[in-house]
Amino acid sequence: MRYYVTTPIYYVNATPHIGHAYTTIAADILARHHRQRGEDVFFLTGVDEHASTVARIAAEQGLEPKEYADRILGAWQEVPHRLNATNDFFIRTSDDGHKAFVQDFLQRMYDAGDVYQGVYAGWYCVRCEAFKTEAELVDGKCPVHEIEPEWIEEKNWFFRLSAYQGRLLELYDERPDFVLPAFRFNEARSFIAGGLQDFSISRAGQPWGVPIPWDRGQVAYVWADALVNYLSALSYARPGEDLQDRYWPAVRHLMAKDIIRFHCVYWPAMLLSAGYAVPHQLFVHGWLLLDDRKISKSLGNVVDPLELIDVYGADAVRFWSIRAVSFGQDGSVSIESFQERYERELANDLGNLLSRVTAMIARYLDGDLPHRPSDGSAVRALVDGLGDDVAGRLDQYDLTGALERIWEVVRGLNKHVEERAPWRLAEDASRRVELEETLYDLADGLRVVAVALAAYLPETSARILDALGADPEEIGWDGVDYGLTPTRTGIAAASPLFPRIDTPTAAA
Ligand code: MSP
């Protein structure tokens, strides 16, 4: 199986906030999970540099746009790096390989007879990089960014999107899971059914961007350039190797609902025009809201993901992002909820469980755990079907549901400790086998949890496996099954997985 997953490429007009980290975390969980299943995975993220705001901000700072982009690049690369994201490539739209590919792509659309010259006049939101109809504006402002759009009148090159209405509807009717969740599919389909307007694929009087091959005085409209990244990256990410045959169209695009139209309507039509297969699937998630407002730079309620990682660690940020809000829905977050979940779920439910189990193995069994699986084991019942359940949910992008399913096991193991009370079994030499079976079950249950959690909490998973004397690299999905822990020796009490944090984060 080939599995190619992408995040949107992020605008570099400001520094990253937690909303950007969100999609990267989700994509990384899927990439890691599919690698655990032995699939051939490619994970792409990166930055969108040709927005008109970039040229403006650069000019304000007395820099060339490319100089500005070069300077801010580190901040954007730092996010996947510090999150332990396993992206196989980081694309910049200023890469020569990308620019050449975009030119070829647009030329193909032109050669297909789908591009014509026209004049456009309308309200343009520079933050959305999109024209807005009067009906879309709220009090004369862009409803997403709450800023006033600009009136723009230009002679541009247009893509005949209207000609693709029929083919897009066919696509949607043939593939009911082309866009998930279903309500987003319906939203995109009704937009198409409502009639499509041609859109401008070029901008005049602006040097920052990819020159239109047949009209060098214009550059590609930022979306006509950016969307192509998903395909262009495959042409140069591995010099000498064209990954297109390998990963296209096995692609899953992740994005938030703000850019659904570009991905669910414009992008498949552009691909059809240029003669490429359409993507396998698109998943549209909600907005992460802070105090009920979308987190965004222009609204001034930014939470810096790097500050959160500094204080709590990458795994805690990954955990909270997926746990606090049901993936796919909008959800409100607060830093207080972060601290609360950190203590209750990570430090107590999981961290204490590992500390207790390893301490008991060290104390009651001298660190030596014999192989003692039992048929009637409650832990066997607890983890039974876990691998299929989690994989099935992740196939539906139910990242939150799959994590909850794993957490049921964590809670079940805690309950098992209380019910079996190994400290009492240890007082009675005649109950030695029961004691061994109980501690075996708990250690094996924790190993299963660690493998199941490896995609979500890679550092924690490795630490749990290591504490149990298992190989931290052994996280193949077959391992999500009861009774696979062999006899182990030398298990010592593990140090806390999630230490107490008393200082409230500076980001609060
Ligand atoms: N550059 C375009 C995308 C081009 S893709 C061919 C763009 N960039 S962006 O920087 O504005 O990033 C938008 C994406 O960032 C969203 O679609 C989403 O994936 C992520 N998010 C940004 N803020 C977010 C939230 N507050 N909540 C959830 N996701 C958020 O649009």
Side-chain angles (χ1 to χ4, degrees):
M1 268 276 283
R2 304 264 160 82
Y3 191 91
Y4 174 26
V5 62
T6 67
T7 71
I9 46 171
Y10 306 110
Y11 288 135
V12 295
N13 57 336
T15 46
H17 57 67
I18 192 77
H20 302 113
Y22 188 59
T23 316
T24 302
I25 290 169
D28 187 54
I29 290 168
L30 291 170
R32 284 176 179 269
H33 170 73
H34 283 272
R35 286 192 206 103
Q36 283 184 277
R37 277 155 70 171
E39 294 173 20
D40 178 7
V41 173
F42 196 80
F43 167 19
L44 179 70
T45 187
V47 285
D48 188 352
E49 301 176 292
H50 293 138
S52 48
T53 44
V54 166
R56 184 178 313 172
I57 293 168
E60 279 166 16
Q61 299 182 7
L63 298 170
E64 287 300 314
K66 179 67 166 48
E67 272 179 303
Y68 165 85
D70 287 347
R71 287 189 189 187
I72 203 166
L73 178 70
W76 284 93
Q77 285 178 324
E78 187 78 354
V79 174
H81 176 67
R82 296 283 312 284
L83 285 170
N84 290 318
T86 53
N87 50 298
D88 295 284
F89 191 59
F90 187 97
I91 190 168
R92 299 182 64 176
T93 51
S94 61
D95 289 342
D96 288 338
H98 172 74
K99 291 194 285 191
F101 195 95
V102 168
Q103 291 192 322
D104 179 68
F105 191 96
L106 296 178
Q107 186 68 51
R108 281 163 167 258
M109 289 166 64
Y110 184 84
D111 294 344
D114 285 333
V115 176
Y116 65 92
Q117 205 164 30
V119 175
Y120 198 93
W123 293 109
Y124 192 82
C125 171
V126 289
R127 295 294 317 283
C128 289
E129 293 286 2
F131 283 101
K132 300 275 156 178
T133 62
E134 296 274 355
E136 282 171 318
L137 302 178
V138 176
D139 296 333
K141 290 181 176 171
C142 162
V144 179
H145 296 102
E146 299 180 12
I147 56 169
E148 282 178 13
E150 294 171 13
W151 183 257
I152 289 185
E153 254 182 74
E154 272 183 14
K155 204 176 202 188
N156 290 150
W157 293 97
F158 280 73
F159 171 54
R160 224 179 280 284
L161 181 67
S162 53
Y164 283 85
Q165 185 187 26
R167 286 177 74 185
L168 288 176
L169 287 175
E170 261 169 46
L171 165 71
Y172 274 71
D173 292 342
E174 274 163 23
R175 289 169 46 180
D177 57 359
F178 179 58
V179 175
L180 291 173
F183 72 102
R184 297 290 179 205
F185 175 97
N186 295 335
E187 191 181 322
R189 196 189 177 286
S190 16
F191 179 78
I192 299 165
L196 296 176
Q197 297 200 345
D198 298 346
F199 71 94
S200 149
I201 55 159
S202 72
R203 295 291 308 274
Q206 171 173 309
W208 177 233
V210 181
I212 296 290
W214 62 89
D215 179 358
R216 299 259 157 189
Q218 302 223 4
V219 295
Y221 167 50
V222 67
W223 278 99
D225 160 352
L227 287 163
V228 181
N229 91 88
Y230 301 130
L231 200 49
S232 74
L234 300 180
S235 71
Y236 69 97
R238 297 285 174 270
E241 199 183 339
D242 188 353
L243 302 173
Q244 196 180 301
D245 282 350
R246 189 155 151 203
Y247 297 113
W248 197 267
V251 66
R252 280 80 173 165
H253 296 309
L254 301 189
M255 78 222 68
K257 62 182 184 180
D258 47 341
I259 52 179
I260 178 171
R261 193 176 299 177
F262 297 104
H263 283 81
C264 300
V265 184
Y266 291 20
W267 178 225
M270 286 168 64
L271 285 162
L272 289 170
S273 169
Y276 291 97
V278 297
H280 175 73
Q281 206 160 48
L282 298 88
F283 185 84
V284 185
H285 62 71
W287 279 343
L288 212 54
L289 306 167
L290 193 66
D291 303 327
D292 294 331
R293 304 179 93 200
K294 178 175 182 258
I295 297 168
S296 102
K297 193 77 185 176
S298 55
L299 299 180
N301 56 1
V302 182
V303 177
D304 183 339
L306 299 181
E307 282 179 21
L308 280 178
I309 295 171
D310 285 343
V311 178
Y312 293 95
D315 277 3
V317 175
R318 295 168 67 103
F319 179 78
W320 171 75
S321 305
I322 300 305
R323 190 106 174 109
V325 173
S326 183
F327 191 64
Q329 308 291 323
D330 285 341
S332 219
V333 294
S334 68
I335 295 301
E336 293 73 44
S337 80
F338 194 119
Q339 175 82 22
E340 193 270 328
R341 269 190 199 278
Y342 179 89
E343 284 168 11
R344 182 166 50 86
E345 300 198 302
L346 292 177
N348 291 343
D349 289 356
L350 185 60
N352 279 352
L353 178 66
L354 179 74
S355 303
R356 291 176 89 185
V357 170
T358 51
M360 288 189 290
I361 295 172
R363 183 154 170 211
Y364 304 137
L365 306 181
D366 283 329
D368 297 338
L369 184 72
H371 183 67
R372 283 258 184 277
S374 52
D375 285 342
S377 151
V379 170
R380 181 193 289 274
L382 200 58
V383 304
D384 204 28
L386 179 70
D388 286 347
D389 280 359
V390 170
R393 282 172 210 212
L394 289 179
D395 284 345
Q396 297 301 312
Y397 304 84
D398 181 10
L399 275 65
T400 306
L403 182 55
E404 170 54 23
R405 179 71 182 82
I406 301 169
W407 226 254
E408 275 171 18
V409 177
V410 173
R411 287 192 298 260
L413 291 173
N414 277 303
K415 208 166 136 224
H416 196 66
V417 174
E418 296 308 321
E419 282 173 1
R420 301 290 300 166
W423 47 91
R424 240 171 269 139
L425 299 175
E427 286 168 0
D428 183 349
S430 71
R431 303 183 78 180
R432 176 77 184 183
V433 173
E434 271 178 81
L435 173 68
E436 287 178 359
E437 280 181 356
T438 300
L439 292 178
Y440 179 85
D441 273 5
L442 291 168
D444 193 53
L446 265 167
R447 179 197 55 78
V448 169
V449 164
V451 176
L453 275 181
Y456 290 92
L457 307 179
E459 288 176 339
T460 305
S461 161
R463 287 179 61 196
I464 296 174
L465 292 173
D466 189 54
L468 296 169
D471 179 354
E473 310 261 307
E474 261 189 39
I475 52 167
W477 202 246
D478 296 349
V480 187
D481 213 349
Y482 174 76
L484 301 178
T485 301
T487 294
R488 298 258 183 234
T489 53
I491 295 177
S495 52
L497 285 178
F498 298 96
R500 258 193 89 78
I501 289 164
D502 292 319
T503 29
T505 157

